[in-house]
């Protein structure tokens, strides 16, 4: 697969410009390091390769995070080394635990800030390893200071070049993606309200939108670190994306109502549904400046259109149409909120209008995978302990290179569900880069006498490696090729390399990666199916928690977290058909948790109806038991028959409610629970059911 992509790879003009910029930054960092006579100039040029990005904002943020992480790692190294250097095994255990803990925290934070913790972990290991190796020449403070200076030179060089030479601002890209997302939302609504039977899977389309919103959410962090469009708009943009998630939830719910209507006789309702669609879209697409007072406005004919629709509908259809009306109303309101925020963001306004309930009151509202974080931390502990222990036992001079590569690869690759394929690329890339190092060290460098000559001969490596880094599929290959080659060359003012040290170092680097490969394969690596199953269990846990949650900002934060989890699920390349179905169902279920909240709300408003309250409690307990069973073992094909019977019973009891609005809302919620949470078809809903469950529709 990789070989085919390599053969088909043709760098674009932008890729070449990006490669040239990184080359200039790398040579600037190397030149300054030579002039300052730093201990390991390779770390300066290596840093340039590591933080390389086409977007200036990303570069600036990574520069800050890398510098902060390196300083933190240096401080930890200075605190640990003097006290434990004479007890190597105790030192190894403490160092391993620190690297594992730092990686654990890093994996929990799904924002670019996680870079700080990861760097703090393996920077400590690298400083300690170098201090022990060069203990006769330098003390620990010199090594730590040199490491910080080398990183700083690389960071500053990259930031300056990225900001001055053909800067590409991330704000422009975010603006394009946000506009596309808004158009996709309106386009999806337009397609949904056609009242025509269609096999198109709208939940899949909306899952993609959810994933895109999560991607933009992560990119927005970088806006504080660049000039250009949307500078400093990180928080309001993230709040806007939270509101987008509510629109997605509205559309998912709406798609379920349309699906129900498609199963009914719609010939007489079609013209009216099309009219609602036209009026809604015309209202939303108006070219106007929105104000907070506009958030509660509706199309002029909204109530009239739905009244006419209700008059033509059967009692069964009226319940579904009532739910549809509510979903369309919420869709309009939430879309206006998104457009108002986006309008203010483009005007440079950071304040969130009081009329919009902020969802970022409790941060983060993003999904956190403690299971993967723990497994990643354990694998980092084991890898660091094994490579360091092997170095101690062997007394191998180049063993510190093995230990360094083991710690680095353990930290960098454990964020992946299955890092093993990438680790294999690391091994093959290390072998190729070792060959390049041999060619340069013994074939080219003996003839180099000036810095400009060095820059000239290194240019092809930068051009090829960095161009591949700009390609998403080839990025791991480019990084390994570029970073390992620059690090393997071990450039100094006075360059010396013999064949023995070359072979020793090359073998040590490959061995460090190999240890990581084995340990991660045994401890950390999980299949996409297993990863998705674990996240689905967390989804059903969240569904169970929503049963007794009051409506408000906490509920919206909870919903945002659930929709973000769905976005993560849709990145998993699962193979099992049942898990695929469960992932699609998860989005539908998330959009319908408001109906679980309404059950409780309506019940509390009717204290005089004791029997109704009791039966609502029974339904809640049944749903809690169902969600708990789904946590243990996911079944996408059956829904407990007793829940369907309980819903039918509550529908009959609802006739006792004198308040027409409350009765209608309860019937709507009961309908939605069966359809969107139980995935029960209309036929199954009203049929005589028996056995363990009814088939999902």
């Amino acid at each position: 697969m990789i070989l085919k992509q390599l053969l088909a790879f043709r760098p674009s003009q932008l890729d070449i410009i990006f490669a040239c910029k990184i080359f200039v930054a790398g040579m600037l960092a190397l030149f300054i390091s030579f002039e300052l006579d730093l201990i390991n100039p390779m770390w300066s040029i290596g840093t340039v390769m590591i933080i390389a990005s086409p977007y200036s904002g990303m570069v600036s943020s990574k520069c800050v995070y890398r510098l902060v992480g390196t300083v933190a790692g240096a401080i930890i190294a200075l605190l640990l080394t003097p006290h434990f250097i004479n007890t190597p095994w105790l030192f190894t255990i403490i160092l391993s635990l620190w690297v594992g803990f730092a990686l654990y925290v890093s994996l929990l934070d799904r924002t670019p800030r996680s870079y700080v913790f990861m760097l703090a972990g393996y920077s400590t290991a690298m400083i300690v390893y170098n201090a022990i190796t060069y203990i006769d020449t330098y003390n620990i403070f010199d090594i730590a200071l040199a490491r910080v200076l080398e990183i700083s030179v690389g960071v500053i060089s990259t930031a300056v070049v990225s900001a001055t030479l053909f800067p590409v601002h991330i704000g422009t890209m975010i603006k394009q993606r946000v506009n596309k997302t808004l158009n996709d939302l309106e386009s999806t609504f337009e397609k949904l309200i056609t009242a025509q039977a269609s096999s198109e899977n709208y939940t899949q389309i909306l899952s993609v939108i959810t994933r895109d919103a999560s991607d933009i959410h992560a990119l927005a962090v970088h806006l504080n670190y660049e000039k250009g469009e949307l500078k400093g708009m990180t928080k309001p943009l993230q709040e806007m994306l939270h509101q987008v998630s509510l629109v997605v939830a509205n559309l998912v719910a709406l798609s379920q109502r349309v699906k129900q209507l498609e199963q009914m006789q719609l010939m007489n309702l079609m013209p009216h549904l099309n009219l609602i669609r036209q009026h809604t879209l015309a209202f939303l697409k108006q070219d106007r400046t929105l104000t907070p007072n506009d958030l509660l406005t509706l199309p002029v004919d909204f109530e009239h259109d739905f009244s006419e629709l209700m008059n033509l509908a059967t009692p069964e259809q009226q319940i579904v149409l009532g739910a549809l009306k509510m979903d369309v109303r919420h869709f309009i309101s939430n879309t206006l909120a998104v457009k108002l925020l986006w309008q203010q963001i483009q005007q440079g306004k950071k304040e969130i209008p009081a009329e919009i309930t902020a969802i970022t009151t409790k941060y983060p509202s993003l999904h956190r995978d403690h299971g993967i974080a723990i497994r990643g931390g354990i694998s980092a502990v084991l890898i660091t302990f094994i490579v360091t222990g092997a170095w101690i036992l062997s007394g191998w001079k180049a063993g510190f290179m093995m230990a360094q590569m083991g710690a680095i690869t353990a930290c960098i690759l454990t964020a992946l569900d299955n890092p093993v394929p990438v680790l294999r690329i690391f091994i093959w890339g290390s072998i190729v880069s070792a060959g390049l190092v041999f060619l340069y060290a013994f074939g080219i460098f003996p003839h180099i006498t000036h810095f400009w000559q060095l820059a000239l001969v290194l240019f092809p490596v930068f051009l090829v490696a960095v161009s591949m880094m700009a390609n998403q599929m080839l990025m791991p290959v480019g990084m390994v090729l570029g970073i390992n080659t620059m690090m393997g060359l071990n450039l100094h003012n006075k360059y010396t390399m013999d064949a023995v040290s070359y072979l020793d170092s090359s073998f040590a680097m490959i061995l460090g990666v190999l240890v990581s490969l084995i340990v991660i394969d045994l401890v950390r690596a999980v299949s996409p199916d297993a990863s998705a199953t674990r996240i689905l269990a967390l989804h059903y846990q969240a569904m169970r928690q929503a049963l007794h949650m009051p409506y408000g900002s906490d509920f919206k934060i909870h919903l945002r977290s659930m929709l973000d989890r769905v976005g993560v699920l849709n990145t998993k390349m699962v193979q099992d058909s049942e898990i695929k179905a469960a992932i699609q169902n998860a989005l539908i279920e998330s959009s319908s948790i408001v109906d679980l909240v309404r059950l409780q709300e309506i019940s509390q408003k009717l204290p005089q109806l004791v029997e109704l309250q009791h039966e609502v409690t029974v339904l809640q307990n049944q749903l809690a038991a169902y969600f708990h069973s789904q946590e243990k073992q996911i079944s996408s094909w059956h829904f407990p028959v007793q829940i369907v019977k309980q819903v039918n019973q509550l529908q009959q009891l609802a006739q006792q409610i004198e308040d027409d609005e409350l009765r209608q809302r309860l019937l709507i919620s009961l309908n939605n629970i069966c359809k969107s949470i139980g995935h029960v078809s209309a036929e199954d809903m009203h049929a005589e059911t028996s056995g363990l469950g009814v088939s999902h529709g």
Side-chain angles (χ1 to χ4, degrees):
M1 186 72 171
I2 291 292
L3 183 60
K4 288 182 179 179
Q5 290 169 348
L6 283 170
L7 293 173
F9 176 63
R10 300 290 186 275
S12 66
Q13 186 179 358
L14 291 176
D15 294 340
I16 294 172
I17 292 174
F18 171 50
C20 290
K21 286 172 63 176
I22 299 304
F23 169 72
V24 172
M27 292 304 101
L28 178 62
L30 191 61
F31 181 79
I32 295 172
S33 298
F34 284 169
E35 290 296 307
L36 297 177
D37 200 24
L38 298 178
I39 297 174
N40 284 311
M42 65 178 179
W43 287 114
S44 296
I45 194 169
T47 296
V48 173
M49 298 286 278
I50 291 170
I51 64 176
S53 173
Y55 301 101
S56 56
M58 278 190 178
V59 170
S60 298
S61 65
K62 289 174 77 173
C63 286
V64 172
Y65 296 142
R66 185 167 184 82
L67 190 57
V68 171
T70 302
V71 171
I75 293 171
I76 298 295
L78 288 172
L79 291 174
L80 293 178
T81 306
H83 297 94
F84 299 103
I85 194 168
N86 294 317
T87 53
W89 286 107
L90 179 61
F91 198 2
T92 300
I93 292 171
I94 294 172
L95 182 64
S96 301
L97 289 172
W98 162 246
V99 173
F101 173 76
L103 183 61
Y104 166 77
V105 176
S106 172
L107 292 174
L108 284 181
D109 189 344
R110 286 177 48 225
T111 72
R113 290 188 299 263
S114 63
Y115 202 45
V116 172
F117 302 102
M118 184 178 69
L119 259 293
Y122 76 71
S123 289
T124 301
M126 291 167 69
I127 291 169
V128 167
Y129 295 149
N130 278 273
I132 294 170
T133 303
Y134 301 109
I135 196 168
D136 296 331
T137 309
Y138 306 101
N139 60 46
I140 179 66
F141 183 80
D142 291 335
I143 294 288
L145 180 62
R147 173 81 172 131
V148 173
L149 287 174
E150 289 151 7
I151 296 298
S152 300
V153 169
V155 161
I156 294 170
S157 299
T158 310
V160 169
V161 171
S162 179
T164 55
L165 294 182
F166 306 105
V168 181
H169 298 299
I170 197 171
T172 305
M173 183 187 69
I174 289 177
K175 190 174 180 179
Q176 292 172 350
R177 293 192 66 173
V178 169
N179 287 330
K180 179 183 177 299
T181 298
L182 297 181
N183 289 332
D184 287 347
L185 290 170
E186 290 185 356
S187 173
T188 304
F189 173 80
E190 184 175 9
K191 292 175 181 176
L192 276 173
I193 313 298
T194 57
Q196 295 177 358
S198 173
S199 60
E200 190 169 0
N201 194 332
Y202 293 108
T203 57
Q204 194 170 2
I205 297 171
L206 291 165
S207 294
V208 172
I209 295 174
T210 301
R211 185 179 63 202
D212 290 344
S214 295
D215 291 343
I216 300 170
H217 197 289
L219 291 172
V221 175
H222 304 288
L223 289 172
N224 290 330
Y225 300 90
E226 73 162 16
K227 297 179 180 179
E229 291 186 280
L230 309 182
K231 175 178 169 57
M233 290 292 147
T234 296
K235 287 187 176 180
L237 184 60
Q238 289 179 336
E239 183 58 50
M240 188 205 76
L241 290 167
H242 291 325
Q243 301 294 330
V244 166
S245 69
L246 299 182
V247 179
V248 170
N250 299 145
L251 286 174
V252 173
L254 198 148
S255 71
Q256 294 301 295
R257 303 296 78 79
V258 171
K259 189 176 179 181
Q260 279 187 279
L261 289 172
E262 287 174 352
Q263 297 170 354
M264 304 173 179
Q265 184 57 250
L266 280 179
M267 294 305 294
N268 60 328
L269 304 183
M270 286 175 60
H272 296 277
L273 283 172
N274 289 328
L275 198 62
I276 290 170
R277 180 197 72 214
Q278 293 169 12
H279 289 165
T280 302
L281 288 172
F283 177 75
L284 292 174
K285 292 181 180 293
Q286 292 180 73
D287 188 11
R288 55 174 173 160
T289 301
L290 293 171
T291 66
N293 294 329
D294 295 324
L295 296 180
L296 297 177
T297 58
L298 291 167
V300 176
D301 297 317
F302 184 83
E303 293 294 341
H304 177 263
D305 289 342
F306 271 100
S307 292
E308 287 198 347
L309 196 59
M310 290 289 190
N311 292 333
L312 296 171
T314 65
E316 183 186 354
Q317 290 173 339
Q318 284 179 354
I319 296 173
V320 181
L321 288 171
L324 182 73
K325 180 182 178 181
M326 192 177 298
D327 292 330
V328 174
R329 184 192 295 272
H330 290 159
F331 168 75
I332 293 171
S333 176
N334 291 329
T335 301
L336 290 175
V338 170
K339 289 194 171 189
L340 175 61
L341 287 171
W342 183 229
Q343 184 179 283
Q344 293 193 343
I345 289 169
Q346 294 179 94
Q347 294 170 354
K349 298 178 181 178
K350 297 183 180 181
E351 299 78 15
I352 307 298
E355 290 79 2
I356 297 176
T357 305
I359 308 180
T360 50
T361 51
K362 291 184 180 178
Y363 190 83
S365 57
L366 301 180
H367 163 68
R368 287 183 170 187
D369 197 332
H370 288 272
I372 283 297
I374 291 171
R375 292 169 73 112
I378 292 173
S379 64
V381 170
L382 291 174
I383 291 167
T384 307
F385 181 82
I386 291 170
V387 292
T388 310
W391 181 27
I392 295 171
L393 290 173
S394 66
W396 183 19
K397 185 179 178 181
F400 84 100
M401 290 295 294
M402 173 187 65
Q404 281 190 165
M405 287 305 298
I408 291 171
T409 52
C411 291
I412 291 177
L413 299 177
T414 44
L416 304 173
D417 274 338
N418 186 9
V420 175
V422 180
L423 274 170
R424 292 195 182 105
I425 293 174
F426 260 66
I427 292 175
W428 286 109
S430 298
I431 294 172
V432 174
S433 63
L436 284 173
V437 170
F438 181 86
L439 175 65
Y440 274 99
F442 302 106
I444 298 175
F445 283 178
H447 308 288
I448 301 296
T449 56
H450 296 85
F451 185 83
W452 68 267
Q453 295 172 328
L454 176 65
L456 187 64
V457 298
L458 290 178
F459 178 71
V461 176
F462 273 85
L463 185 63
V464 174
V466 179
S467 295
M468 286 194 290
M469 286 166 62
N471 183 291
Q472 188 176 4
M473 299 301 296
L474 295 177
M475 190 265 291
V477 180
M479 285 198 69
V480 174
L481 187 64
I483 295 170
N484 281 18
T485 302
M486 291 301 113
M487 301 297 283
L489 288 172
N490 197 14
L491 298 166
H492 288 84
N493 270 329
K494 295 180 180 179
Y495 189 79
T496 58
M497 182 176 286
D498 59 87
V500 175
S501 62
Y502 157 75
L503 291 171
D504 223 20
S505 299
S506 299
F507 180 69
M509 291 174 67
I510 295 171
L511 191 60
V513 177
L514 186 61
V515 171
S516 288
L517 175 68
I518 295 170
V519 174
I520 290 176
D521 190 29
L522 293 173
V523 178
R524 166 63 182 88
V526 294
S527 68
D529 286 14
S531 179
T533 301
R534 189 185 61 259
I535 297 174
L536 282 167
L538 295 174
H539 161 75
Y540 284 108
Q541 185 182 71
M543 292 289 294
R544 186 158 50 86
Q545 292 168 348
L547 275 169
H548 302 286
M549 185 176 288
Y551 189 82
S553 61
D554 287 344
F555 168 80
K556 290 185 178 181
I557 292 166
H558 191 71
L559 174 59
R560 166 62 188 152
S561 178
M562 291 183 69
L563 291 172
D564 179 70
R565 190 176 292 112
V566 172
V568 174
L569 277 169
N570 278 279
T571 64
K572 308 297 181 184
M573 305 299 291
V574 299
Q575 301 298 319
D576 187 90
S577 58
E578 188 167 3
I579 297 175
K580 286 182 179 178
I583 291 174
Q584 286 194 15
N585 287 341
L587 179 58
I588 300 169
E589 292 158 0
S590 298
S591 72
S592 297
I593 64 169
V594 68
D595 294 299
L596 301 177
V597 175
R598 283 191 190 132
L599 276 182
Q600 181 175 262
E601 181 187 353
I602 294 169
S603 175
Q604 290 172 349
K605 290 181 178 179
L606 299 167
Q608 71 278 13
L609 299 179
V610 179
E611 186 182 2
L612 179 70
Q613 288 187 323
H614 172 72
E615 296 303 329
V616 167
T617 303
V618 171
L619 178 61
Q620 289 175 320
N621 292 335
Q622 289 176 341
L623 287 168
Y626 168 67
F627 295 143
H628 187 69
S629 68
Q630 289 288 85
E631 289 178 51
K632 303 301 180 184
Q633 184 165 359
I634 294 167
S635 174
S636 302
W637 308 115
H638 289 87
F639 188 61
V641 68
Q642 62 265 30
I643 297 181
V644 179
K645 288 181 176 179
Q646 186 66 22
V647 168
N648 284 327
Q649 187 174 348
L650 276 167
Q651 287 175 328
Q652 294 172 11
L653 289 173
Q655 305 308 317
Q656 301 175 11
I657 303 173
E658 296 178 358
D659 189 310
D660 291 339
E661 185 179 350
L662 281 180
R663 183 175 62 255
Q664 187 75 354
R665 289 183 68 178
L666 177 59
L667 290 172
I668 288 172
S669 291
L670 291 171
N671 171 80
N672 295 354
I673 287 169
C674 264
K675 178 61 185 174
S676 299
I677 296 178
H679 315 287
V680 180
S681 66
E683 291 79 7
D684 285 331
M685 183 67 190
H686 298 284
E688 291 293 328
T689 55
S690 59
L692 296 176
V694 295
S695 298
H696 284 184

